[in-house]
């Protein structure tokens, strides 16, 4: 009788042979049968917790993924990683841990996967830093894997319109200005986030979940199926089953995510008008993949990719609308000429094969390639005397009159100072608010600046006032908000040389961010500055600040 030879499994290291009897004894203590011990070990990496609305339902998603694994002949083991809710962490010291947690997540996955000899992984994820942290781990470990997210939240409804978390942040500005009562704000607060899931607009979490689908590490629908839709459970079961096929074919993440895959992800991001944070994260993912992807490539992609969608915060639509209109596959089909369609995916098909039958079902949500919102994409990288290594702006969300702007600097050395000045309306139309020492090292942790930008938008002056920072912005940000200015102030970047009244020159169309100061004056001012003193000098953030690199390199740790 013919016999088949089972492929060598990593898990054999802990379960095969006489010398592994102690390990098998521990596995039996878990209640595993001999058959389950013999099968491939599949790690179900779950970021479930009870503080993030996007993660509160991930137990159900993980159970569905485990069912898919078992049905396809694998033995699943659920393990967990931490997660920070950016919205809850916003505006206080907690936000400094958000980006920093990305490295913790990647390291935690590495520890659990290697220590327990998992043969393959299913990543159950959803929100801001958790998705990129898991993606970084996937590329670092290079084990067969499939991603499945918890899906987006549905939009809320208030005063006859769709609303989301960003509406609440902007409403704070309306209250500050006197255009909205605290009672009305309270009513909005109750309805803005009506379900579990990642916040309903094209903010960072949904941007990265969509990017994971584009990269080819998740099944079609991963980015847009709503969290409360039963199709999300179906998808999780399919992901669990599919990882067994990926393992059988020995398809590794680095075979999928190379430079062409990163290109595709950013092309779709620009077509969607997605979060600027995606650039930061995709640079870090490229680093883990060993892929060469310079920051300036973003502008080349944006020049070739029209913006087809107008999603919150820049427009009226939400992820549920995008899903109804055909989802990410429909967007990819519309910009197919820009994409590298030969890239393989975990489906066993190429990108081109995955989107072959896709179609746009709502032209109000996904415009034709030839009739876009903008002929170029929604993200732009700026260079110049203020940002020699680059700065990032969501150009899709900038008012036309602010695409080119000259104004006097109004400098702040912390977010708290800037927020207080905005609340007191201590600025003039035309000012450029300069918020510095909030970069990866200076923050530390490169906190998001949603509070100041949403207040500016809520006050109705986001078309009259610009803000530049070496920190970063939430995916919910809109207006002339330029972040990731590199080098950062704490590293002696030119942004540290600015003083109140210095002219700042913003030219988004020509990809420039400059000051009227001469290079000699910039250097003289920087030389006269005292040595940077860390804001936090203990614990994890101290170690993070000592290890982190520039935002222009993805804010990864030094090699």
């Amino acid at each position: 009788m013919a016999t088949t030879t089972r492929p060598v499994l990593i898990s054999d290291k802990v379960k095969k042979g006489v010398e592994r009897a102690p390990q098998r004894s521990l596995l039996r203590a878990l209640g595993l049968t001999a058959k389950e011990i013999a099968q491939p070990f599949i790690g179900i990496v779950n970021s479930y917790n009870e503080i993030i609305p996007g993660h509160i339902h991930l137990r159900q998603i993980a159970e569905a993924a485990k069912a898919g694994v078992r049905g396809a002949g694998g033995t699943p083991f659920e393990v967990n990683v931490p997660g920070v809710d950016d919205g809850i962490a916003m505006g206080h010291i907690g936000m400094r841990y958000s980006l920093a947690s990305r490295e913790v997540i990647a390291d935690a996955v590495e520890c659990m996967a290697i220590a327990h000899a998992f043969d393959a992984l299913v990543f159950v994820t959803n929100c801001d830093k958790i998705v990129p942290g898991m993606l970084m781990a996937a590329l670092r470990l290079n084990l067969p894997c499939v991603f499945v997210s918890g899906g987006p939240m549905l939009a809320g409804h208030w005063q006859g319109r769709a609303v989301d978390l960003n509406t609440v942040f902007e409403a704070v500005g309306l209250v500050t200005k006197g255009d909205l009562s605290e009672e009305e704000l309270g009513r909005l607060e109750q309805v803005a986030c009506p379900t579990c899931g990642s916040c309903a607009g094209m903010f960072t979490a949904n941007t990265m979940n969509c990017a994971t689908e584009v990269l080819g590490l998740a099944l079609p629908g991963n980015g847009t199926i709503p969290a409360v839709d039963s199709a999300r459970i179906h998808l999780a079961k399919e992901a669990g089953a599919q990882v067994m096929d990926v393992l059988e074919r020995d398809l590794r993440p680095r075979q999928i995510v190379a430079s062409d895959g990163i290109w595709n992800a950013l092309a779709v991001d620009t077509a969607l008008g997605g979060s600027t944070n995606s650039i930061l994260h995709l640079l870090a993912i490229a680093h883990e993949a060993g892929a060469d992807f310079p920051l300036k490539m973003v502008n080349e992609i944006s020049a070739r990719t029209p913006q087809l969608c107008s999603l919150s915060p820049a427009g009226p639509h939400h992820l549920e609308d995008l899903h109804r209109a055909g989802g990410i596959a429909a967007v990819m089909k519309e910009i197919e000429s820009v994409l590298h369609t030969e890239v393989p995916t975990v489906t066993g098909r190429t990108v081109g094969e995955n989107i072959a039958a896709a179609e746009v079902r709502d032209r109000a949500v996904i415009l034709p390639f030839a009739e876009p919102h903008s002929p170029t994409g929604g993200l732009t990288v700026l260079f110049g005397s203020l940002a020699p290594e680059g700065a990032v702006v969501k150009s899709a969300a900038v008012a036309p009159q602010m695409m080119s702007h000259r104004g006097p600097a109004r400098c702040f050395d912390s977010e708290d100072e800037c927020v207080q000045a905005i609340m007191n309306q201590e600025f003039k139309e035309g000012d450029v608010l300069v918020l510095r020492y909030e970069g990866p090292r200076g923050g530390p942790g490169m906190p998001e600046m949603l509070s100041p930008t949403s207040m500016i938008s809520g006050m109705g002056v986001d078309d009259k006032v610009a803000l530049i920072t070496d920190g970063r912005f939430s995916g919910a940000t809109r207006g002339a908000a330029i972040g990731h200015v590199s080098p950062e102030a704490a590293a002696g970047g030119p942004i540290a040389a600015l003083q109140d009244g210095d002219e700042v020159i913003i030219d988004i169309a020509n990809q420039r961010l400059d000051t009227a100061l001469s290079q000699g004056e910039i250097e003289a001012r920087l030389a006269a500055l005292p040595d940077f003193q860390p804001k936090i000098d203990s614990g994890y953030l101290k170690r993070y600040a000592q290890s982190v690199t520039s935002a222009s390199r993805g804010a990864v740790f030094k090699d």
Side-chain angles (χ1 to χ4, degrees), residues 499-519:
Q499 298 174 3
D500 286 351
D502 290 338
E503 187 177 38
V504 175
I505 306 163
I506 298 168
D507 187 353
I508 296 173
N510 290 304
Q511 303 159 7
R512 298 290 303 180
L513 179 63
D514 294 287
T515 173
L517 298 174
S518 68
Q519 189 60 34

Side-chain angles (χ1 to χ4, degrees), residues 227-315:
V228 294
D229 194 320
S230 60
R232 179 60 59 179
I233 303 299
H234 301 164
L235 186 74
K237 290 180 180 177
E238 291 168 0
Q242 190 63 31
V243 79
M244 299 303 297
D245 179 68
V246 174
L247 174 61
E248 180 67 26
R249 289 185 288 115
D250 196 30
L251 180 61
R252 305 296 179 115
R254 289 184 199 166
Q255 295 172 256
I256 296 171
V257 182
S259 296
D260 288 348
I262 301 290
W263 173 289
N264 287 348
L266 278 167
V268 174
D269 193 13
T270 59
L272 295 170
S275 168
T276 54
N277 283 322
S278 63
I279 297 175
L280 187 74
H281 297 318
L282 286 168
L283 287 172
I285 291 162
H287 174 79
E288 293 285 359
D292 181 28
F293 204 90
L295 184 58
K296 63 182 179 181
M297 192 72 76
V298 176
N299 288 336
E300 181 180 342
I301 293 169
S302 195
R304 295 177 56 181
T305 312
Q307 183 196 341
L308 304 184
C309 301
S310 184
L311 299 158
S312 176

